[in-house]
Amino acid sequence: MMRELPAPPRADELSELIKKKVAEAQTAGSTRETVTVDWNEQKAHVDVIDLPLSKLYFNPSTHRIRAQRSHDAARDVELDQKPWSPESQDYLKFLLQASPTDTHLRDVDFDALKESLDEFGQNDPGLVTHHGVLVNGNTRAAALRELGVQSMRVGVLPESFTWADINAVELSLQLRRDHRRDYSYVNRIIAMEEQAALGRTPEQIAKEFRIQVKTYHQERWILATIRELIKRSQDAGGSGLRLVDWEGAQERLKELQRLYVKLEMLDRDQAEILKELRLAAILLNFSKTDVRHINEDFLKEGLEQRLLSAGPAPEAPQVRPAGVMIPGLGVEVPAASSAVADMKALNDRLLRAAAVVRGKNEGLDLGDEVKERAQSVLDDAQKTFDEAIEAAGRSARLRKRKQLAPARLAEACASIDQCVSDLVQARTSRSLDEEAFDDAVLKLRSSLLKLAQQAGRGLQDPGDGVAWLMDAAATEGPR
């Protein structure tokens, strides 16, 4: 969460340099360059100066790489404890250049920005605190340093600004519609969480992020779910999944939230089971269309039992509480059903296995055997889920075929009902083309005879509707 950071090394010296340059810019005879920032629902115009890149610090609190900081737990801790050390600043530079969804890869957008700066130079100024910490322009500074540029144009925030003010300014600049490079998904919802921690209402936050209030609540639900999964993935050794591991799952998580909310009021256990199943499928990197097959019909066909029976064996016997006592009320509410508990236990084992496989923490050598065993758990689960999802897909296609003929007939009935209304209006206005209408009725008769012929095939005891159709066709006889 957001906190006040100590001043960087030689802060007083850099602050004096910045004050001197601002004073020179204000007293210069030429037109002053300023940049406008939104702060506390007001607009502030701050002076732009030129500062040596070597003296500027990357911002440890920037929302741009908040989730990606968990790429390396040890370096993340170092960044918290010593944000201005050369090692921490190098880590920030690395993260600013890394892909938001996979920090082991270089971000193509960063390279595109670097090429643009190389060709056209710096168009817009960055923004710094009076101690030289970059508030806006961290990624540009990293790119300019790679290009060997010696200085950067930056606007200077007032000395009175707190870290809460600094973060609010960064957020307002990022959320402008014309900004070229957006925050990654997880960083965006973390920023919403921080705004809520400052006491802002959902309506205020939704307005600032230009989303609906219901979307804000959806994003908070997703972040809470991600944090819960990270906690569940941690084993006794402390290794676990990271926030960055959920980048790229935005749409699948949103569809999960919508399904969960729809089912929760009807059947809480069903909602919880489907939530665990879909989260496991997302963890195993199944596509959005595959994950959609995990729905109410998936449970009706008992496909979750296939996953439980073929999933990884429990590491220890599961102890299920009889109920949960609400403190102060003396009321006991039922604990999760055995089916929910079994599904959570299965998902927990997959989460811990994924944490071992994906973990890149320095100083924590789990050994090849442990990693191979964890990978085997994920591979087996991938195969089992793939088979279950494929079976669900086949069932869905079969249901669609079964429902196709009745649906077509229902559409035809609706068209005939509309035809009745159109016929009345045409006769009233004496505009009916009787010859064309008669031809259309003959086509209807032919179609009904064909339908009766196919509907009666193989039926020993037809229902009332089919029996009527067959009788009508028999009365008509062949023509």
Side-chain angles (χ1 to χ4, degrees):
M1 298 301 293
M2 187 176 59
R3 63 186 179 89
E4 291 288 328
L5 294 175
R10 305 176 69 178
D12 292 338
E13 178 183 330
L14 185 56
S15 182
E16 286 301 317
L17 173 63
I18 291 174
K19 288 178 182 177
K20 180 180 177 181
K21 282 184 169 287
V22 169
E24 290 175 352
Q26 291 174 345
T27 57
S30 57
T31 303
R32 290 163 51 193
E33 182 183 7
T34 61
V35 61
T36 303
V37 297
D38 296 318
W39 171 69
N40 199 23
E41 298 185 355
Q42 298 178 357
K43 291 188 180 298
H45 305 283
V46 300
D47 290 290
V48 174
I49 60 174
D50 201 66
L51 285 177
L53 269 169
S54 59
K55 293 185 179 294
L56 300 180
Y57 289 92
F58 294 120
N59 182 6
S61 292
T62 178
H63 296 95
R64 183 170 299 287
I65 46 88
R66 188 65 56 84
Q68 287 69 30
R69 284 181 50 166
S70 60
H71 165 80
D72 188 317
R75 296 177 76 180
D76 190 21
V77 171
E78 175 78 10
L79 184 56
D80 266 336
Q81 296 174 349
K82 301 175 182 178
W84 315 117
S85 70
E87 294 78 13
S88 293
Q89 288 290 300
D90 284 344
Y91 185 45
L92 287 171
K93 182 182 177 183
F94 162 76
L95 294 177
L96 288 166
Q97 301 174 31
S99 168
T101 56
D102 186 349
T103 45
H104 298 95
L105 302 177
R106 189 174 170 93
D107 188 8
V108 294
D109 288 338
F110 177 83
D111 287 330
L113 172 64
K114 181 180 171 183
E115 290 178 9
S116 174
L117 289 169
D118 189 28
E119 183 174 359
F120 303 108
Q122 181 189 355
N123 293 324
D124 301 317
L127 201 63
V128 297
T129 69
H130 70 287
H131 284 150
V133 179
L134 286 156
V135 177
N136 186 43
N138 283 270
T139 312
R140 273 174 287 167
L144 289 169
R145 285 184 180 181
E146 279 208 350
L147 291 170
V149 177
Q150 299 301 306
S151 63
M152 181 178 181
R153 289 174 24 254
V154 291
V156 182
L157 291 176
E159 190 172 350
S160 60
F161 270 38
T162 65
W163 275 100
D165 297 329
I166 291 167
N167 278 277
V169 167
E170 184 207 0
L171 194 61
S172 68
L173 287 168
Q174 176 58 40
L175 294 179
R176 285 181 179 173
R177 292 184 185 273
D178 60 351
H179 206 282
R180 291 185 178 180
R181 191 173 180 233
D182 293 333
Y183 289 153
S184 68
Y185 176 62
V186 176
N187 287 326
R188 185 177 174 86
I189 58 180
I190 289 175
M192 292 182 195
E193 179 185 57
E194 291 182 352
Q195 292 298 299
L198 293 174
R200 306 193 69 191
T201 66
E203 290 75 18
Q204 290 173 323
I205 299 172
K207 181 180 179 181
E208 185 159 7
F209 280 80
R210 299 182 177 92
I211 57 176
Q212 295 182 350
V213 175
K214 67 177 183 180
T215 304
Y216 163 78
H217 290 298
Q218 179 186 58
E219 306 289 38
R220 294 300 307 276
W221 184 93
I222 289 173
L223 182 58
T225 299
I226 290 174
R227 293 196 186 281
E228 177 196 353
L229 293 173
I230 291 173
K231 184 177 180 181
R232 288 167 57 184
S233 71
Q234 294 171 344
D235 58 19
S239 64
L241 291 172
R242 308 155 301 173
L243 286 167
V244 70
D245 289 318
W246 301 96
E247 291 281 16
Q250 173 180 352
E251 293 304 320
R252 288 170 290 172
L253 290 170
K254 285 189 173 184
E255 287 191 359
L256 165 61
Q257 188 270 348
R258 289 193 289 268
L259 177 66
Y260 183 86
V261 170
K262 182 182 79 170
L263 296 178
E264 185 183 19
M265 299 302 293
L266 302 174
D267 188 334
R268 179 66 181 270
D269 282 356
Q270 185 185 57
E272 289 291 336
I273 291 171
L274 287 174
K275 174 184 173 184
E276 294 296 326
L277 285 171
R278 284 204 173 192
L279 287 172
I282 293 170
L283 180 71
L284 294 169
N285 253 343
F286 281 93
S287 68
K288 181 167 64 174
T289 52
D290 284 339
V291 173
R292 284 174 182 165
H293 286 309
I294 302 177
N295 52 26
E296 301 96 310
D297 292 323
F298 192 95
L299 300 186
K300 289 177 182 177
E301 295 173 16
L303 291 173
E304 81 282 3
Q305 295 303 319
R306 180 184 300 187
L307 301 177
L308 287 171
S309 60
E315 298 162 355
Q318 300 295 317
V319 179
R320 299 188 177 92
V324 178
M325 188 67 69
I326 300 179
L329 296 181
V331 177
E332 185 180 59
V333 296
S337 70
S338 59
V340 174
D342 288 341
M343 200 57 64
K344 284 190 173 182
L346 170 64
N347 208 3
D348 285 345
R349 296 192 290 278
L350 296 179
L351 288 164
R352 287 192 288 270
V356 171
V357 171
R358 300 178 187 180
K360 304 293 181 183
N361 297 337
E362 295 180 1
L364 186 62
D365 187 7
L366 300 174
D368 292 339
E369 185 179 347
V370 174
K371 292 181 179 179
E372 288 175 4
R373 190 162 58 246
Q375 185 63 60
S376 177
V377 168
L378 294 180
D379 290 343
D380 291 344
Q382 180 89 26
K383 180 180 177 182
T384 306
F385 266 78
D386 192 39
E387 292 172 351
I389 289 173
E390 178 61 29
R394 288 195 301 270
S395 297
R397 290 191 293 272
L398 180 60
R399 282 194 301 273
K400 186 175 181 179
R401 285 197 297 269
K402 288 180 177 179
Q403 296 166 0
L404 194 56
R408 296 279 191 191
L409 200 54
E411 289 178 8
C413 291
S415 296
I416 290 175
D417 290 340
Q418 182 61 46
C419 176
V420 173
S421 175
D422 294 342
L423 181 61
V424 171
Q425 292 181 16
R427 280 181 170 166
T428 301
S429 61
R430 297 183 179 181
S431 60
L432 177 65
D433 185 340
E434 295 186 358
E435 185 175 347
F437 181 74
D438 190 65
D439 289 341
V441 172
L442 288 175
K443 289 181 180 179
L444 173 62
R445 174 184 175 279
S446 176
S447 296
L448 287 174
L449 289 174
K450 292 177 183 177
L451 179 63
Q453 184 180 14
Q454 296 300 325
R457 284 187 175 179
L459 290 181
Q460 299 297 327
D461 186 19
D464 292 344
V466 175
W468 170 86
L469 182 61
M470 292 171 64
D471 289 344
T475 300
E476 279 288 312
R479 291 285 178 98

